[in-house]
Amino acid sequence: MNTKKTLFTTAALGAAYLLKNKNARDKIMEGIQSFTSQVKAKRNG
């Protein structure tokens, strides 16, 4: 139970940080887009 609470707390703090920090949001979105394009290329290739 304690592990679940810690996990949710960490996720909430991360979300709050991303809401405040535009640079971090942009960096993460860029990484996600790069990852998804790599996955799509592997599936199609």
Side-chain angles (χ1 to χ4, degrees):
M1 188 70 169
N2 197 16
T3 305
K4 239 183 199 179
K5 187 176 181 181
T6 304
L7 180 66
F8 284 125
T9 302
T10 304
L13 288 173
Y17 176 75
L18 290 176
L19 286 173
K20 290 181 77 173
N21 192 338
K22 184 177 177 354
N23 245 0
R25 273 197 317 266
D26 292 343
K27 214 181 261 188
I28 288 180
M29 284 306 297
E30 203 173 287
I32 290 172
Q33 289 172 347
S34 171
F35 176 75
T36 54
S37 66
Q38 287 175 359
V39 170
K40 286 179 184 176
K42 284 183 181 177
R43 284 185 183 172
N44 294 334

